[in-house]
Amino acid sequence: MLLSFRVQDESAKAPQTINPCKTPIRRTQHLTTMAAKPDDSKKRKHAPAAGGKSAPKKLKSSTDKVLKKPHKSTKQLGDKKQQPKPHVPVESKRERRIQAKELAEARKKKRKKHYTLEQELASLWEKMRTRNIVKEERSRLVSDALKKMKGKIPEIASSHVSSRVLQTCVKHCTQEERNAVFVEILPHFITLATNTYAVHLVTKMLDNASKEQQAQFISTLHGHVATLLRHMVGSLVVEHAFQLGNGAQKQTLLMELYSPELQLFKDLISAKEARLVDVISNLQLQKGSVVRHMTSVLQPIMEKGILDHSIIHRALVEYLTIADQTSAAEIIQQLSSPDLVRMIHTKDGSKIGIFCIKHGSAKERKKIIKGMKDKVGKVARDKCGALVLVSILSIVDDTKLLSKVIIRELEGILKELLLDQNGRRPLLQLLHPNSSRHFSPDELAALGSSVPSLVTKSPSEVNETETSGLGEAGKEDVDVTNSSHMNEGGKKDPLTRRQELLVHSGLAEKLIDACCEMAEELLRSNFGKDVIYEVAMGGADSILGPTLDGKLETLHGVIASLAAHPKLEGSDEQHLFEHFHSSRTIRKLILDSPSFACTLYEKALKGKCSIWAQGHSAKVISALLETSSSMVHKLVKKEVQPLVDDGILKLAK
């Protein structure tokens, strides 16, 4: 009752403004409903209003809208913002591009001091670098460009545009103009040497410099060699100067890496002292301080991966000759990685590669071999890289890994390698190891060299190392050509290793097939003749037999069939018996292989010896009697001896 009274009282105060949908009515209805709701009802029923009748709903009138608090709609709020804009003409894409280009040009002019000059030089460069330009016209353009750059060369040489213009100018200008450029950049040489673009100008100047200018360039490097070698760009300049310099200049650059005293006082350096051991003994330097200084210089260079330069390879070889066992082992371990393949293209780099193979662990050797994957052909064709491959095939015991990585790649390019001066060497090493016929004394010395502090001397090896010179302190190269010490670090028997790599891998069979297919070309080749000789002989220790004796007889028959071709008068191509290389190779095979001599006589020479008894071919016929085989003598004596008796054929004394 109290609630109903309050509602009526409120409605009496403002009868016209009451909205039946307002909150007080809803609250009253809700409370009344809750009071009238029975406990057992399942459905919620709306209770009627006071008086028993539900209050009728009133429709919203227009007065309700007026009495509500007025508010501004979003349209009214945005009317002020949506003011009509002045009409702007739409620009085309071309006009926008032109405006953007002009804006970029303006920014470049503000940012670059010599931007306008660079644009002028670029237009001149486009004309002067064409191939079909007249020489006089090019000289005029070069002179014009150099006049524009005069006094500003050190500033604009760092630009990728101006640097190219300067390189072309230095290449085609006169000597007087080149001297003027040299004088202008000499005070800024070190700064330009470390710039990505200016370094190409510096190397071009070194290529075209006179001997006096080269000496000035190299003297400018004094005191900065170690710093520049740690710089990815600056190291290129030091390496270029090292390649172009003479022996004394190379020694000057190297000495700075040896000791701080030599870096400060270059008068201490003597060109006669080529080896670091001699420098230490003559100048009475402390060996320990030299090792510490070289470690501090070389360690950052190796950490940065700057391993391609020959001056660094030389310094590392010298370091390993004086380093103690711990320091040398650390360097060998650090270098025994896939990156070693980047070093073995130089003479000293190949020595480091041989050191790593010889003194590294099995795990380190595996890293080196895997780093050569897909690069074996390139390494084999390189003069220095081939020696590292030879060392790997002579030392590493893991023949399965070698067959998978190295032998398979060699088989893929076998025919090319047979005729290549360097590519044939790994094959010759497997056929006839450490032969002085195929390797020079210097190469055999490099293959036998070791790091002095890492050479192991067991009691059973003391006498051997004394006689071979391995225990002599300070020796850089140790001339050891015997196969037992060549395999230092390898535990497997050398003959077993060769059989697994050559015969069991299938390389030998493919090698014989290639020789049969290319027999004539190999016999006439200066480099191929050695390969076909070793294959036809069956290799050292008869490694190809008896497994492949049948294929060797086939090869002998192929050579004899080629030699059986008749001699053609007036032909430009010489017969195999008359050709310089083939005649000597066949003669050597007759002397060393009785089976080949018999096959050749039966197929090519029987009844024809008198035809070939003069000229280069006479050496082939005389070899039939000079051989030590009694079987061959018995076979040919009846036909060949009368030629000797008549004075037609002369035998070697």
Side-chain angles (χ1 to χ4, degrees):
M1 293 299 291
L2 180 61
L3 291 171
S4 303
F5 174 76
R6 291 180 65 181
V7 171
Q8 289 174 3
D9 188 40
E10 287 177 3
S11 61
K13 288 181 183 179
Q16 293 182 351
T17 58
I18 288 176
N19 191 343
C21 298
K22 292 256 179 166
T23 307
I25 300 300
R26 288 188 196 137
R27 187 184 302 164
T28 306
Q29 289 175 352
H30 181 64
L31 291 172
T32 310
T33 306
M34 292 295 291
K37 184 177 180 181
D39 294 337
D40 57 347
S41 63
K42 294 183 180 179
K43 278 190 176 181
R44 179 177 292 178
K45 297 180 180 179
H46 295 286
K53 293 182 180 180
S54 61
K57 293 183 180 180
K58 288 187 178 181
L59 297 173
K60 291 182 181 180
S61 61
S62 59
T63 56
D64 295 335
K65 294 182 180 178
V66 176
L67 292 173
K68 284 183 183 178
K69 187 177 178 181
H71 63 277
K72 294 181 178 180
S73 65
T74 53
K75 284 187 177 181
Q76 292 173 346
L77 290 171
D79 287 343
K80 292 181 180 179
K81 296 180 181 178
Q82 294 178 358
Q83 297 293 333
K85 294 181 180 179
H87 177 70
V88 180
V90 180
E91 296 178 349
S92 64
K93 289 184 179 180
R94 183 173 178 277
E95 290 173 346
R96 286 199 296 271
R97 283 199 304 270
I98 292 171
Q99 285 184 1
K101 191 174 181 180
E102 290 174 354
L103 183 60
E105 293 284 331
R107 288 173 180 168
K108 287 178 182 178
K109 285 180 182 178
K110 288 181 181 179
R111 190 172 68 250
K112 296 182 179 181
K113 185 179 178 181
H114 302 289
Y115 179 73
T116 307
L117 176 60
E118 288 181 9
Q119 296 300 307
E120 295 174 3
L121 293 174
S123 62
L124 289 173
W125 183 56
E126 289 296 333
K127 297 175 184 177
M128 71 173 72
R129 74 192 186 104
T130 54
R131 294 183 179 180
N132 56 353
I133 190 172
V134 183
K135 188 176 180 180
E136 292 76 14
E137 179 65 17
R138 176 182 281 153
S139 300
R140 184 186 65 79
L141 292 171
V142 168
S143 300
D144 291 346
L146 289 173
K147 286 177 184 176
K148 291 177 181 292
M149 290 185 285
K150 189 175 182 181
K152 306 168 189 173
I153 291 177
E155 299 175 18
I156 66 175
S158 303
S159 168
H160 71 285
V161 176
S162 305
S163 174
R164 288 171 170 80
V165 179
L166 277 165
Q167 291 173 58
T168 306
C169 290
V170 167
K171 182 179 179 181
H172 297 291
C173 68
T174 61
Q175 189 60 43
E176 291 77 13
E177 291 171 332
R178 194 175 293 119
N179 293 339
V181 175
F182 170 79
V183 171
E184 194 168 343
I185 70 169
L186 187 61
H188 310 276
F189 181 68
I190 302 299
T191 307
L192 296 175
T194 56
N195 184 271
T196 308
Y197 299 110
V199 66
H200 302 295
L201 171 64
V202 173
T203 53
K204 182 69 73 174
M205 287 297 298
L206 277 168
D207 289 332
N208 293 279
S210 61
K211 290 185 178 180
E212 294 77 12
Q213 290 173 342
Q214 275 187 10
Q216 284 182 278
F217 266 126
I218 292 173
S219 63
T220 308
L221 291 172
H222 182 70
H224 302 280
V225 176
T227 309
L228 288 173
L229 281 176
R230 289 194 294 269
H231 196 280
M232 294 295 290
V233 177
S235 60
L236 297 172
V237 177
V238 179
E239 171 66 11
H240 206 69
F242 186 76
Q243 293 288 345
L244 295 174
N246 54 34
Q249 289 169 341
K250 288 181 178 180
Q251 194 68 10
T252 304
L253 295 172
L254 275 170
M255 288 295 182
E256 290 196 32
L257 306 178
Y258 294 161
S259 172
E261 291 88 352
L262 300 175
Q263 186 175 357
L264 294 172
F265 308 105
K266 59 181 179 181
D267 296 335
L268 297 173
I269 301 169
S270 173
K272 297 178 182 178
E273 299 157 354
R275 292 166 47 172
L276 181 55
V277 177
D278 299 333
V279 173
I280 291 173
S281 60
N282 292 341
L283 298 181
Q284 298 181 353
L285 299 174
Q286 291 185 356
K287 187 177 178 180
S289 66
V290 173
V291 171
R292 285 192 297 273
H293 177 73
M294 291 189 73
T295 303
S296 65
V297 169
L298 294 172
Q299 199 66 35
I301 295 172
M302 290 189 292
E303 287 174 0
K304 286 191 174 183
I306 306 174
L307 302 172
D308 304 275
H309 306 317
S310 58
I311 184 172
I312 297 172
H313 303 167
R314 184 65 186 170
L316 283 169
V317 169
E318 293 292 345
Y319 175 81
L320 290 171
T321 60
I322 64 165
D324 57 277
Q325 187 174 2
T326 306
S327 302
E330 288 177 358
I331 291 292
I332 293 295
Q333 185 178 6
Q334 192 170 355
L335 292 174
S336 298
S337 68
D339 289 334
L340 185 68
V341 74
R342 295 165 49 197
M343 302 179 66
I344 58 179
H345 61 279
T346 65
K347 183 180 178 181
D348 294 306
S350 68
K351 281 184 184 177
I352 294 170
I354 292 169
F355 291 161
C356 292
I357 294 295
K358 189 169 288 188
H359 301 294
S361 64
K363 188 176 181 181
E364 290 162 355
R365 291 170 183 169
K366 190 173 183 179
K367 287 181 184 177
I368 295 170
I369 294 167
K370 285 191 172 182
M372 290 185 178
K373 191 175 182 180
D374 300 327
K375 304 182 184 95
V376 174
K378 187 176 181 181
V379 172
R381 291 187 188 95
D382 184 75
K383 182 179 180 181
C384 302
L387 291 180
V388 179
L389 270 185
V390 167
S391 179
I392 289 173
L393 295 173
S394 304
I395 294 174
V396 178
D397 289 336
D398 192 351
T399 53
K400 287 186 178 179
L401 178 65
L402 292 179
S403 299
K404 184 179 178 182
V405 178
I406 294 178
I407 301 298
R408 289 293 166 267
E409 286 195 43
L410 293 179
E411 287 177 353
I413 51 172
L414 194 58
K415 293 181 181 179
E416 300 171 22
L417 296 178
L418 294 179
L419 298 170
D420 189 84
Q421 182 179 7
N422 302 310
R424 65 197 176 114
R425 290 183 174 187
L427 303 172
L428 291 170
Q429 176 69 9
L430 291 173
L431 290 165
H432 195 156
N434 311 323
S435 172
S436 58
R437 187 186 298 135
H438 310 313
F439 297 95
S440 67
D442 290 340
E443 291 168 343
L444 289 173
L447 289 170
S449 61
S450 301
V451 178
S453 59
L454 296 179
V455 174
T456 55
K457 297 182 192 178
S458 61
S460 61
E461 290 178 332
V462 170
N463 294 332
E464 184 182 352
T465 51
E466 284 178 357
T467 55
S468 62
L470 279 175
E472 197 169 334
K475 276 209 171 188
E476 176 190 346
D477 294 335
V478 186
D479 299 342
V480 184
T481 56
N482 55 49
S483 60
S484 62
H485 214 90
M486 279 288 297
N487 299 328
E488 182 179 350
K491 298 179 182 179
K492 190 173 285 188
D493 179 62
L495 183 60
T496 305
R497 183 189 294 108
R498 286 173 57 212
Q499 284 177 339
E500 290 176 358
L501 292 174
L502 190 60
V503 182
H504 299 167
S505 68
L507 176 63
E509 189 172 352
K510 293 180 181 179
L511 188 59
I512 296 172
D513 292 340
C515 288
C516 291
E517 187 179 341
M518 305 169 60
E520 185 172 4
E521 189 177 2
L522 291 171
L523 286 168
R524 295 178 185 274
S525 169
N526 186 23
F527 306 124
K529 62 183 176 61
D530 295 328
V531 181
I532 196 170
Y533 168 78
E534 293 293 351
V535 172
M537 286 295 299
D541 305 317
S542 300
I543 193 169
L544 300 183
T547 311
L548 299 171
D549 282 344
K551 282 189 168 290
L552 291 178
E553 290 176 5
T554 304
L555 177 60
H556 294 170
V558 170
I559 297 173
S561 300
L562 291 170
H565 291 171
K567 183 178 180 180
L568 299 176
E569 296 294 337
S571 177
D572 294 335
E573 188 176 20
Q574 290 181 313
H575 194 274
L576 287 181
F577 288 152
E578 296 178 328
H579 190 270
F580 182 83
H581 296 305
S582 59
S583 63
R584 283 158 173 76
T585 304
I586 292 172
R587 170 185 165 81
K588 196 165 24 172
L589 282 171
I590 292 171
L591 293 173
D592 297 338
S593 175
S595 61
F596 173 78
C598 294
T599 303
L600 181 70
Y601 179 76
E602 291 291 344
K603 284 192 174 185
L605 293 174
K606 192 172 185 180
K608 303 175 185 176
C609 290
S610 58
I611 301 174
W612 304 108
Q614 293 178 348
H616 277 301
S617 57
K619 295 181 179 181
V620 177
I621 306 303
S622 62
L624 294 170
L625 288 179
E626 292 169 5
T627 182
S628 58
S629 173
S630 58
M631 179 179 62
V632 177
H633 286 175
K634 185 178 179 181
L635 184 66
V636 304
K637 189 173 183 180
K638 185 177 180 181
E639 184 177 355
V640 179
Q641 188 62 44
L643 298 175
V644 177
D645 297 339
D646 295 342
I648 300 173
L649 187 67
K650 294 182 180 180
L651 301 178
K653 293 180 181 180

